[in-house]
Amino acid sequence: MTVRNGQERQGEVRRRPGGSAAPLSEAYDTALLDLDGVVYAGGEAVPHAVEALGTARAGGMHLAYVTNNALRTPDAVAEHLTELGVPAEAADVITSAQAVARLIADDVPSGSRVLVIGGDGLRVALRERGLVPVDSAEDGPVAVVQGYGGPEMPWGRFAEASYAVARGLPWYASNTDLTIPGARGIGPGNGAAVEVVRIATGGRFEPKVAGKPLPPMHRETVLRTGARRPLVVGDRLDTDIEGAFNGGVDSLLVLTGVTDAAQLLRAVPEHRPTYVAADLRGLLEGQPEVVAEEDGSFVCGDWRASVSAPRGGELMLDGPAGAGEADPLDAVRALCGAAWSAADAGDGGAPDAGKVLARLGL
């Protein structure tokens, strides 16, 4: 279920972004889109997302929405997307709540009680798997599951989870994203809540995790979408992009959420996306090739990137002097080639990128 367009082969270390002569919406049959930070943030649509997704859909691309956020049900997510101008059905939405519910159902008998620390998304997903959500460690649960419960989650819910986990009940988590983007900035995610329970129980227990980048979420996505040539689209290196890497599929990083250009340049091999775009308009375009030159530099469009010294050097960038004369994303793609290759050469880690990113305004 993979497609490779002018890229390094699966299993090899990626040292530069890939290229695609065709628009990505034509090169791939299904976009597996993250939601928070990609399609919307804080409930509002990310700029250009609605128009880009509408054009991709009209061109024949299947859109599926894959989120680690377990708070809302697929019905609620689909309704929200439709209100934003992105028509969606519940079947188009795959959540970490669904993935963790399947994981629990594989481990415990049907009809078992499960202590839920989270929102409606978890409760509905558990019921779909024949499990019974309960609210207290005294209600006879055989397992405990945590999922993002929103910013108003009462502190007492973490105490209930801690009581159950300390007694030795199997512990599950929909995901362990430490942060979540919102309208006012970056807030604590479910991973931060998991850490609260871990600390409260003395660090002696580890949850089974279902969400991106781990295999249960990939399995759930494949089962529900049937994608043959999928493209993972996300804003997080450690969930979306690593999940694509683990699943052996291509990925597009959009710079509208958690990840910025500096973090991208420092990415370890499993966090390196196939493609990079400013936002979801990148689905409607091809991707320029990043060319590795014999002198060790990397060229993309009008930009050439290199490293000033073999060890501890800085990233260097040559390109148009005037603002607006060339695409700064091409500069970022070339810089990825130089930075990733230098880091993989074992010459002291990723080179410093501060000056070149300041020049680009990134």
Side-chain angles (χ1 to χ4, degrees):
M1 56 179 288
T2 63
V3 61
R4 302 276 155 177
N5 293 309
Q7 306 162 54
E8 294 143 357
R9 293 181 181 179
Q10 182 178 345
E12 295 181 358
V13 174
R14 175 171 299 286
R15 294 193 173 92
R16 54 181 166 168
S20 175
L24 299 184
S25 58
E26 297 177 9
Y28 299 87
D29 69 343
T30 305
L32 306 180
L33 295 133
D34 184 48
L35 288 172
D36 292 304
V38 176
V39 179
Y40 53 63
E44 299 297 325
V46 168
H48 311 294
V50 172
E51 298 83 357
L53 292 175
T55 302
R57 184 191 309 105
M61 189 178 217
H62 176 213
L63 305 180
Y65 302 95
V66 185
T67 177
N68 264 1
N69 191 332
L71 177 61
R72 295 188 292 173
T73 66
D75 282 312
V77 172
E79 182 179 355
H80 181 207
L81 287 168
T82 301
E83 290 173 352
L84 292 176
V86 182
E89 303 291 336
D92 298 324
V93 180
I94 302 93
T95 74
S96 63
Q98 294 170 323
V100 78
R102 189 186 296 269
L103 190 62
I104 298 170
D106 287 345
D107 291 346
V108 305
S110 179
S112 295
R113 295 184 175 194
V114 179
L115 174 61
V116 176
I117 313 301
D120 287 343
L122 269 179
R123 295 174 184 275
V124 169
L126 289 169
R127 292 189 186 105
E128 288 178 346
R129 293 291 160 201
L131 302 171
V132 180
V134 297
D135 292 323
S136 171
E138 308 308 318
D139 289 337
V142 301
V144 56
V145 60
Q146 281 186 264
Y148 182 66
E152 307 303 324
M153 173 72 77
W155 194 252
R157 304 304 299 146
F158 304 135
E160 291 296 329
S162 300
Y163 303 149
V165 171
R167 294 172 188 173
L169 267 66
W171 182 22
Y172 298 84
S174 64
N175 67 296
T176 51
D177 297 17
L178 291 173
T179 61
I180 187 169
R184 297 174 58 196
I186 304 298
N190 191 55
V194 168
E195 288 303 310
V196 169
V197 176
R198 191 197 311 275
I199 292 168
T201 54
R204 295 176 293 141
F205 306 97
E206 290 289 333
K208 288 186 178 181
V209 183
K212 297 178 286 186
L214 298 174
M217 189 68 176
H218 183 69
R219 176 178 64 154
E220 194 72 23
T221 301
V222 170
L223 289 173
R224 290 179 180 267
T225 65
R228 297 173 61 89
R229 292 179 289 117
L231 177 69
V232 170
V233 184
D235 69 311
R236 302 184 69 106
L237 301 179
D238 59 347
T239 55
D240 305 314
I241 306 308
E242 185 176 342
F245 177 89
N246 290 339
V249 300
D250 291 344
S251 60
L252 168 66
L253 177 77
V254 291
L255 301 176
T256 51
V258 169
T259 302
D260 60 22
Q263 293 167 320
L264 174 61
L265 296 182
R266 296 193 299 268
V268 296
E270 61 268 29
H271 291 174
R272 294 171 185 170
T274 314
Y275 309 113
V276 183
D279 52 57
L280 284 176
R281 290 176 294 181
L283 282 175
L284 310 178
E285 305 167 348
Q287 289 265 320
E289 184 179 3
V290 179
V291 178
E293 301 285 5
E294 291 185 1
D295 63 0
S297 64
F298 290 80
V299 174
C300 184
D302 296 317
W303 301 93
R304 178 185 298 270
S306 59
V307 179
S308 63
R311 292 180 179 273
E314 295 183 0
L315 281 172
M316 309 293 289
L317 185 65
D318 294 320
E325 292 186 13
D327 186 349
L329 260 295
D330 286 349
V332 170
R333 296 175 182 115
L335 289 166
C336 284
W340 296 348
S341 294
D344 292 347
D347 292 331
D352 180 64
K355 291 182 180 178
V356 293
L357 293 180
R359 172 184 170 186
L360 295 169
L362 299 172

